[in-house]
Amino acid sequence: DNRIRLWNIKKNWKKTHELKQHVNTISKIAFSPSANLLASASWDHKIMFWKVGNGKKIGELKGHFGSISDLPCDDPQDWR
């Protein structure tokens, strides 16, 4: 699937946003330590960054030569 669906678990699992800008299968997602940002990697050779609160894309890394299968984000400094 090439969409990310965000749900509010505090409001009876209401779907809040559907992020649809990837054009191929999403292989990995990662939340920032504060859970305010989301990164998504896809077989479309892109990493996209999103604001969780409003579902808006705030950045994109493109130019990878192959499918992206992982998003290592171990340190909160990575999300500045």
Side-chain angles (χ1 to χ4, degrees):
D1 195 353
N2 64 339
R3 294 176 285 175
I4 299 168
R5 294 161 191 88
L6 300 177
W7 304 83
N8 187 332
I9 62 172
K10 294 180 180 179
K11 293 186 178 180
N12 293 329
W13 291 91
K14 179 183 176 195
K15 183 167 68 169
T16 58
H17 302 291
E18 190 165 315
L19 316 178
K20 301 188 274 190
Q21 293 197 17
H22 282 291
V23 295
N24 209 325
T25 301
I26 295 169
S27 53
K28 186 78 170 191
I29 64 168
F31 286 92
S32 67
S34 66
N36 292 325
L37 300 174
L38 172 74
S40 57
S42 172
W43 293 355
D44 63 9
H45 308 186
K46 296 178 185 175
I47 296 172
M48 295 185 185
F49 299 92
W50 312 84
K51 281 194 168 189
V52 173
N54 62 14
K56 300 289 182 190
K57 186 175 85 169
I58 58 170
E60 179 178 309
L61 298 174
K62 56 186 173 181
H64 298 275
F65 293 108
S67 299
I68 303 166
S69 60
D70 202 6
L71 283 173
C73 295
D74 296 332
D75 188 331
Q77 298 295 323
D78 294 341
W79 288 89
R80 286 189 174 196

